[in-house]
């Protein structure tokens, strides 16, 4: 329908203080989708724009490198005796997390404009009831080197806030099977996050090395290593090793991960000294997807269980997500495409029964 | 005087605007005689209906008509700034259009989840005389109890209201209204408020005038308590515009508001917007979701001076 691409970029900070960059495929275009989410279903046409705040929580902020699902599915079909590529370590819990609704408040206007096959620009205006209202400008550039059927490199994504906070990422495929990423994040004029990582994708394994916030003058830095190996076509095991160093202290955190993929479900478990994270994703039928998640943190000494579901009604252009939490938080998001206009309406409500707090918001996405 | 807390379903705003009735009949002529000017409270009504109502949080209203004279509605309001409530509203009318002169009682009652009650009883004593009683409580305490009698003549309306008569405390508020149609478009009248307490008593006189033409209505209330001027203009079938000016001597401040209403019957949509001299900008969108008997309401109000934003969502079913 559109000449220009509609690529949505969203940055989300989750509980484990990980910066996750996801590029859901919203509509196919001549430019091609650079970074398709690793889900086999078409991802929901959720609105983009950097949604949450820019504060970097203390700890380990690691943006994962997005895998290309084209490569993984291609390999699966080729030869049954060969094991498929398991995807990246950070993508393990992704399918379950995508089922949950995203919290939003105030009024949001998101305008997306494709200027050419390679360049796309977006404006976000957020009027907030609780915090400050912001305007954000973002741009995406996709290069000319073609790696797969719908993949082009390098990819440069950036956005800047009205207060001057900047998010920038450059992703490039250096060699066959090696992808690298550079990411920067500032809070107004101060750099809070700068990192570089390299991802090696083998036939049945993925290894990632990330260097975060290296500071030669102060002598601090974080190095994260991920490794994920396919043991059988359904089972993938792996681990994460985080080494952080500051003048005066240094330490490591290690966690192990396992993922089992069934015919219509995915069960993932991550265990480590920082806590445990278990998630179960189930696709009941074409319309209903369900996710259950358990998170336990040794640092904050608490656990939480969440149940979420997603109802997709493509005939009515409707997408409904609901969630219930053990923190007594009930939330729902309704998204509706208002055809024939290239307009999408999002209504969102969250109610925290324990603190008796209520939040509602709505947003319009154009383009 | 109007200190009565509005019912949650008073006519005008909550009624679906695409009613088959024509616009207010001030300018309809009945066989050459001057028409009845209506009641004093509805002088500024056409202008006020153009403005969007402040909406906050999530509100769900379920309307159910149990029979031709019995209507029930449930309201659930979840709010971030004020406490959430559930409200039950019941109406007993002889017909669904209680503006017609029929000698039949109309009883309206509303009960809150905190125990606040709002009760109206409207009695048509005969063709020309109407009596109205209003009781309002805030949880268990009565805040308003008033009794009103209105006489509608051929070309005039006179009403007397006794509000909060309190014999032990020797306090009462008496209000007298009078409206007279002077010509086919011009209505003049006045309001006299007499309030008496244990230590003080006083009277306030306000004069009112309204001039109406087929496309616009201009109204002015002026008195010692302040002034209230409003102008309502119907540009075409879809757009209505209202300008309002209020000045109060008691609070020593004035407010000017500009509002407009845009109706798109093909899209089943009504949009009302307003901008204020207090730097408040607001808009409310109402959309009827055919074929369901539901209406979706979305609204936002921004107060630029205090930098506050209020967002509201509502759904009316039935």
């Amino acid at each position: 329908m559109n000449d220009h691409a509609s690529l949505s970029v969203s940055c989300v900070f989750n509980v484990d203080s990980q910066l996750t960059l996801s590029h859901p495929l919203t509509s196919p275009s001549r430019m091609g989708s650079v970074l398709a989410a690793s889900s086999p279903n078409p991802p929901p046409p959720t609105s983009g724009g950097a949604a949450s705040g820019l504060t970097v929580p203390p700890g380990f902020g690691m943006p994962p490198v997005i895998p290309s699902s084209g490569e993984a599915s291609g390999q699966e079909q080729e030869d049954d005796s060969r094991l498929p590529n398991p995807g990246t370590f950070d993508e393990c819990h992704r399918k379950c997390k995508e089922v949950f609704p995203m919290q939003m408040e105030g009024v949001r206007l998101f305008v997306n404009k494709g200027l050419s096959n390679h360049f796309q620009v977006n404006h976000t205006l957020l009027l907030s009831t609780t915090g400050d209202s912001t305007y954000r400008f973002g741009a995406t550039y996709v290069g000319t080197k073609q790696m797969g059927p719908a993949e082009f490199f390098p990819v440069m994504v950036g956005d800047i806030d009205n207060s001057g906070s900047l998010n920038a990422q450059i992703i490039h495929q250096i060699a066959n099977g090696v992808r690298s990423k550079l990411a920067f994040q500032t809070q107004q004029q101060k750099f809070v996050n700068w990192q570089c990582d390299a991802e090696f994708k083998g036939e049945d394994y993925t290894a990632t090395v990330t260097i975060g916030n290296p500071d030669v003058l102060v002598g601090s830095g974080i190095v994260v290593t991920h490794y994920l190996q396919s043991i059988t076509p359904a089972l993938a095991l792996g681990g994460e090793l985080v080494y952080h160093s500051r003048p005066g202290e240094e330490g490591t955190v290690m966690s192990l991960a396992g993922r089992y993929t069934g015919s219509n479900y995915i069960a993932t478990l991550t265990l480590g000294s920082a806590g445990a994270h278990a998630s179960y994703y189930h696709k009941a039928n074409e319309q209903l997807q369900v996710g259950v998640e358990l998170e336990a943190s040794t640092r904050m000494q608490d656990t939480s269980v969440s149940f979420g579901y997603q109802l997709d009604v493509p005939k009515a252009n409707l997408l409904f997500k609901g969630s219930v939490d053990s923190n007594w938080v009930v939330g729902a998001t309704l998204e509706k495409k208002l055809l024939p206009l290239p307009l999408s309406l999002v209504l969102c409500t969250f109610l925290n029964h324990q603190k008796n707090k209520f939040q509602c918001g709505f947003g319009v996405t154009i383009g | 005087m109007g200190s009565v807390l509005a019912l949650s379903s008073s006519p005008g705003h909550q009624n679906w605007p695409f009613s088959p009735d024509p616009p207010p009949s001030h300018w309809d002529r009945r066989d050459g005689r001057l028409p009845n000017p209506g009641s004093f409270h509805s002088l500024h009504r056409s202008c006020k209906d153009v403005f969007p109502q402040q909406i906050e949080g999530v509100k769900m209203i379920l309307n159910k008509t149990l029979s031709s004279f019995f209507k029930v509605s449930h309201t659930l309001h979840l709010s971030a700034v004020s406490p959430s409530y559930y409200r039950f509203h019941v109406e007993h009318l002889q017909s669904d259009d209680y503006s017609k002169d029929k000698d039949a009682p109309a009883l309206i009652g509303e009960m809150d989840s905190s125990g606040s009650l709002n009760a109206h009883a409207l009695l048509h004593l005969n063709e020309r005389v109407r009596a109205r009683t209003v009781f309002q409580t805030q949880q268990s305490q009565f805040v308003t109890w008033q009794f009103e009698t209105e006489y509608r003549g051929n070309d005039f309306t006179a009403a007397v209201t006794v509000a909060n008569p309190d014999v032990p405390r020797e306090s009462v508020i008496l209000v007298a209204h009078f409206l007279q149609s002077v010509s086919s478009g011009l209505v003049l009248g006045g309001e006299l408020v007499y309030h008496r307490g244990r230590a003080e008593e006083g009277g306030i006189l306000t004069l009112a005038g309204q001039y109406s033409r087929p496309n616009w209505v201009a109204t002015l209330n002026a008195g010692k308590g302040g002034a209230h001027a409003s102008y309502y203009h119907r540009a075409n079938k879809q757009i209505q515009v209202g300008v309002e000016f209020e000045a109060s001597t008691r609070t020593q401040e004035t407010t000017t508001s500009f509002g407009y209403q845009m109706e798109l019957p093909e899209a089943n949509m009504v949009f009302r917007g307003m901008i204020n001299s207090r730097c408040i900008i607001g808009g409310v969108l109402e959309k009827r979701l055919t074929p369901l008997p539901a209406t979706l309401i979305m609204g936002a109000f921004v107060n630029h001076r205090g930098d506050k934003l209020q967002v509201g969502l509502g759904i009316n079913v039935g």
Side-chain angles (χ1 to χ4, degrees):
Chain A
M1 164 177 88
N2 295 333
D3 265 344
H4 44 269
S6 324
L7 213 73
S8 303
V9 175
S10 60
C11 296
V12 172
F13 282 87
N14 65 19
V15 174
D16 289 337
S17 19
Q18 286 187 333
L19 172 58
T20 314
L21 190 72
S22 69
H23 297 254
L25 168 64
T26 51
S27 68
S29 66
R30 280 179 304 202
M31 177 174 116
S33 71
V34 175
L35 307 149
S38 53
S39 53
N41 332 318
T46 46
S47 45
S52 28
L54 297 163
T55 48
V56 177
F60 328 115
M62 292 304 132
V65 178
I66 313 302
S68 59
S69 69
E71 272 180 39
S73 55
Q75 283 187 331
E76 271 173 276
Q77 288 153 16
E78 270 171 34
D79 194 338
D80 277 345
S81 65
R82 276 196 287 181
L83 296 169
N85 185 282
T88 67
F89 189 85
D90 293 296
E91 298 278 313
C92 285
H93 294 280
R94 171 69 57 78
K95 285 232 69 160
C96 182
K97 277 214 179 286
E98 271 175 359
V99 167
F100 288 82
M102 199 174 75
Q103 199 148 355
M104 183 184 95
E105 54 93 27
V107 175
R108 192 170 73 145
L109 174 68
F110 179 74
V111 180
N112 204 342
K113 183 119 180 84
L115 298 179
S116 84
N117 272 350
H118 298 278
F119 198 61
Q120 179 175 281
V121 149
N122 59 66
H123 308 265
T124 309
L125 185 63
L126 176 67
L127 298 172
S128 162
T129 50
T130 50
D132 286 329
S133 307
T134 60
Y135 163 73
R136 179 168 271 155
F137 173 75
T140 307
Y141 169 75
V142 172
T144 49
K145 180 176 173 184
Q146 183 165 10
M147 294 308 300
E151 285 181 9
F152 292 84
F153 287 102
V155 175
M156 297 192 219
V157 181
D159 65 70
I160 188 151
D161 207 347
N162 65 319
S163 61
S165 308
L166 167 78
N167 276 344
Q169 280 203 5
I170 302 172
I171 306 169
H172 192 55
Q173 188 102 9
I174 299 175
N176 215 1
V178 181
R179 188 179 300 178
S180 161
K181 174 155 82 173
L182 268 177
F184 299 96
Q185 195 173 20
T186 77
Q187 185 96 309
Q188 274 139 33
Q189 80 275 25
K190 197 167 80 106
F191 273 86
V192 291
N193 205 4
W194 57 104
Q195 65 195 61
C196 169
D197 70 43
E199 183 192 83
F200 308 91
K201 260 194 165 122
E203 263 187 35
D204 58 356
Y205 71 91
T206 307
T208 310
V209 175
T210 309
I211 303 171
N213 293 20
D215 198 340
V216 184
L217 302 171
V218 174
S220 76
I222 301 172
V223 179
V224 180
T225 319
H226 288 150
Y227 183 75
L228 195 60
Q229 165 90 52
S230 275
I231 309 289
T232 78
L235 181 65
L237 294 176
E240 174 189 42
L241 183 65
V242 180
Y243 167 76
H244 63 270
S245 146
R246 257 191 296 241
E249 61 130 332
E250 62 176 22
T252 60
V253 175
M254 172 147 144
S255 43
L256 301 167
R259 184 183 67 200
Y260 188 78
T261 311
S263 55
N264 60 346
Y265 65 90
I266 300 175
T268 316
L269 174 65
T270 307
L271 274 177
S273 43
H277 186 184
S279 76
Y280 176 74
Y281 163 84
H282 188 105
K283 185 170 172 148
N285 56 37
E286 277 302 313
Q287 293 178 335
L288 186 63
Q289 295 169 53
V290 162
V292 183
E293 204 173 21
L294 165 74
E295 282 181 76
S297 167
T298 53
R299 190 163 48 100
M300 292 188 289
Q301 297 275 308
D302 73 354
T303 65
S304 84
V305 178
S306 323
F307 168 79
Y309 67 96
Q310 173 176 315
L311 195 64
D312 198 350
V313 186
K315 271 201 280 203
N317 283 318
L318 199 76
L319 184 73
F320 181 78
K321 289 183 185 172
S323 83
V324 183
D325 207 320
S326 68
N327 298 331
W328 299 93
V329 176
V330 178
T333 304
L334 179 82
E335 210 178 291
K336 183 155 167 73
K337 269 202 227 175
L338 306 167
L339 301 173
L341 306 159
L343 211 69
S344 174
L345 177 70
V346 174
L347 305 173
C348 167
T349 331
F350 268 77
L351 180 56
N352 187 339
H353 284 283
Q354 202 175 35
K355 297 190 196 149
N356 211 8
K357 264 188 4 158
F358 174 77
Q359 232 185 36
C360 83
F362 65 84
V364 176
T365 302
I366 300 176
Chain B
M1 183 201 96
S3 63
V4 173
L5 299 167
L7 279 176
S8 63
S9 75
S10 49
H13 230 273
Q14 252 62 23
N15 286 346
W16 184 244
F18 312 139
S19 56
D21 300 330
S25 55
H26 297 309
W27 44 79
D28 281 352
R29 262 174 227 167
R30 276 181 276 177
D31 58 45
R33 287 185 298 172
L34 293 174
N36 183 279
S39 78
F40 197 84
H41 302 293
S42 55
L43 278 178
H44 293 277
R45 168 74 55 78
S46 50
C47 182
K48 277 212 182 289
D49 277 352
V50 166
F51 287 81
Q53 268 188 345
Q54 197 124 7
I55 180 173
E56 205 280 322
V58 167
K59 197 179 224 180
M60 171 155 149
I61 301 178
L62 217 77
N63 291 320
K64 191 119 175 79
T65 305
L66 297 178
S67 80
S68 69
F69 52 85
F70 204 63
K71 271 194 235 182
V72 152
S73 107
H74 307 266
T75 305
L76 185 62
H77 188 139
L78 299 171
S79 159
V81 294
S82 47
S84 310
Y85 63 78
Y86 161 74
R87 188 175 278 167
F88 179 69
H89 175 105
V90 66
E91 281 181 21
H92 181 280
L93 312 161
Q94 197 57 29
S95 75
D96 25 350
D97 183 5
Y98 61 71
S99 66
K100 285 209 167 74
D101 282 22
K102 280 202 175 147
D103 45 338
L107 301 168
I108 301 172
E110 221 172 59
M111 190 84 187
D112 213 341
S113 56
S114 61
S116 306
L117 168 76
N118 199 337
H120 290 232
L122 183 67
L123 204 61
H124 294 246
L125 294 172
N126 69 42
E127 209 184 84
R128 289 177 182 272
V129 181
R130 269 183 225 193
R132 194 162 82 117
T133 317
V134 177
F135 292 101
Q136 269 177 10
T137 77
Q138 190 93 313
Q139 275 139 31
S140 59
Q141 209 197 15
F142 273 86
V143 290
T144 306
W145 55 105
Q146 71 185 47
F147 312 92
E148 181 182 333
T149 314
E150 188 184 75
Y151 178 84
R152 288 207 179 192
N154 279 345
D155 57 356
F156 73 94
T157 306
V160 173
T161 309
V162 177
N164 294 21
D166 199 344
V167 178
R169 289 206 197 123
E170 292 173 31
S171 77
V172 74
I173 300 177
L174 289 171
V175 184
H177 290 148
F178 183 76
L179 276 184
Q180 167 89 51
S181 277
V182 171
S183 82
S184 66
L186 185 62
V187 170
L188 293 176
E191 171 187 64
L192 180 63
V193 179
Y194 167 76
H195 62 271
R196 185 208 157 99
R198 194 162 267 168
E200 39 89 42
E201 67 181 308
I204 304 173
L205 174 70
T206 310
L207 298 171
Q210 184 182 68
Y211 187 68
S212 35
R213 301 237 40 98
N215 274 346
W216 55 269
V217 176
T219 316
L220 173 66
N221 282 24
K224 229 198 250 180
H228 185 185
S230 79
Y231 174 73
Y232 163 84
H233 189 108
R234 193 183 187 103
N236 56 37
K237 265 205 189 123
Q238 293 175 335
I239 297 187
Q240 298 170 51
V241 161
V243 182
E244 205 174 16
F245 170 78
E246 281 177 81
S248 166
T249 52
R250 190 172 48 95
T251 55
Q252 297 275 311
E253 55 177 41
T254 67
T255 309
T256 312
S257 319
F258 169 79
Y260 68 96
Q261 176 177 313
M262 200 160 74
E263 287 168 24
L264 295 172
E266 314 87 41
N268 282 323
M269 204 162 78
V270 180
F271 179 76
R272 294 187 173 97
M274 73 99 105
I275 181 164
N276 210 326
S277 67
R278 288 189 210 147
C279 300
I280 297 177
I281 301 182
V284 171
L285 178 79
E286 266 178 55
K287 182 155 167 76
R288 196 171 236 183
L289 308 167
T290 56
L292 306 160
T295 305
L296 176 70
I297 300 169
M298 296 191 308
F301 274 77
V302 177
N303 185 342
H304 283 286
R305 225 177 252 175
D307 218 355
K308 276 186 351 159
L309 170 75
Q310 260 187 2
V311 170
L313 289 173
I315 182 137
N316 287 17
V317 180

